[in-house]
Amino acid sequence: MNKKYQYLLFDADDTLFDFKASEKEALDGFFQSLNIELTDSIRDHYHRINHSLWAAFERNEITKDDVLNTRFRQLFREEGIVVDQPDLEKNYQDRLASSHITIPHVFDLLDALKNDYDLYIVSNGVATTQYSRLKASGLYSYFKGIFVSEETGYQKPQVEFFDYAFERIPSFDRSKALIIGDSLGSDMQGGINARIDTCWYNPKHLENTRSLPITYVVDSYDALKAILL
């Protein structure tokens, strides 16, 4: 076992959850409820808008509410689609909260780690949605604490997000902490800002376009276990 670490800080989406699969399921149901055909073009357009807004959120340029209240209205406006439903985001969030598809073998990973490490969740996102998905999936019980940006008042990669979490982890020692996540912008940059070691979960072998000094890069759970066990 890698005795260097005690605290493992896991991102949730695309690190433990197969967020893309859950998102697809939620989007399909959302558009069906509106009686709108979800074409590949509209789906791609939504992803571009959503990605751009969340990136702006990570840069602290807009709030989470700005993301949630903008993305579908902007999409429908730019697509020339008229929708007469006042609470589009709640419709979508309810569907996303009920979808909790995990990455294969995630329970094997957590079972292997739970007795030797203190496991925590560090997530940007909507708190009620994340808690619902963690509980429904069975992941919730593995973690000693869950920190979601909506509750902390800050978001990854802001150092204040991590300061909030660290203050609430008993006897925390940042030299014994490792953040594990898929995002360069929020997880890896956040870990660097917080002065803890970083592990980039990168199953698609993406390029480190930010040239960040990442401690470890893994492309599978087995590779992560090889570092920690």
Side-chain angles (χ1 to χ4, degrees):
M1 185 180 72
N2 191 333
K3 297 290 187 179
K4 182 175 182 180
Y5 302 110
Q6 179 179 349
Y7 313 98
L8 302 183
L9 312 180
F10 280 92
D11 174 51
D13 291 323
D14 291 322
T15 301
L16 303 174
F17 286 116
D18 185 341
F19 183 73
K20 290 179 178 59
S22 291
E23 183 182 50
K24 181 181 185 303
E25 188 173 82
L27 278 174
D28 288 347
F30 173 66
F31 274 81
Q32 286 173 9
S33 75
L34 299 174
N35 294 313
I36 298 171
E37 180 184 3
L38 179 55
T39 64
D40 290 342
S41 175
I42 293 175
R43 191 189 299 274
D44 291 343
H45 191 179
Y46 168 77
H47 287 312
R48 289 194 300 273
I49 291 171
N50 192 48
H51 176 78
S52 176
L53 290 170
W54 280 111
F57 172 72
E58 289 178 5
R59 296 191 299 269
N60 203 32
E61 296 172 358
I62 61 176
T63 68
K64 177 185 64 65
D65 284 344
D66 291 332
V67 177
L68 304 184
N69 294 328
T70 299
R71 53 187 179 181
F72 288 114
R73 301 203 178 280
Q74 179 179 342
L75 173 68
F76 293 144
R77 182 177 67 251
E78 294 178 359
E79 289 285 344
I81 299 171
V82 177
V83 177
D84 184 20
Q85 183 177 108
D87 203 345
L88 294 171
E89 188 59 39
K90 184 177 186 305
N91 181 338
Y92 175 69
Q93 285 296 333
D94 287 346
R95 295 174 189 281
L96 187 61
S98 67
S99 183
H100 45 80
I101 303 168
T102 56
I103 293 174
H105 310 298
V106 68
F107 293 100
D108 292 339
L109 171 68
L110 297 177
D111 281 331
L113 298 174
K114 66 181 181 181
N115 292 327
D116 296 316
Y117 296 96
D118 297 334
L119 308 182
Y120 292 87
I121 291 283
V122 288
S123 173
N124 286 346
V126 180
T128 54
T129 300
Q130 296 299 61
Y131 279 105
S132 176
R133 296 167 71 225
L134 286 164
K135 290 177 180 178
S137 66
L139 293 178
Y140 183 88
S141 62
Y142 285 91
F143 296 94
K144 294 194 171 184
I146 295 168
F147 301 101
V148 182
S149 58
E150 186 178 29
E151 295 180 323
T152 68
Y154 305 96
Q155 66 270 2
K156 301 178 295 182
Q158 288 180 289
V159 69
E160 292 89 348
F161 173 94
F162 293 93
D163 288 343
Y164 178 100
F166 297 167
E167 290 168 2
R168 289 159 177 78
I169 297 176
S171 304
F172 183 77
D173 179 348
R174 72 180 68 231
S175 71
K176 296 181 179 180
L178 178 70
I179 183 172
I180 302 157
D182 70 291
S183 170
L184 287 174
S186 62
D187 301 320
M188 298 302 97
Q189 186 64 63
I192 291 165
N193 292 349
R195 305 193 314 281
I196 62 174
D197 282 0
T198 54
C199 181
W200 186 21
Y201 176 64
N202 184 24
K204 294 185 177 179
H205 303 104
L206 302 176
E207 180 184 358
N208 181 357
T209 54
R210 295 172 179 246
S211 300
L212 296 178
I214 297 168
T215 314
Y216 310 100
V217 180
V218 298
D219 61 3
S220 67
Y221 287 163
D222 284 343
L224 177 59
K225 285 193 286 188
I227 292 169
L228 295 174
L229 298 175

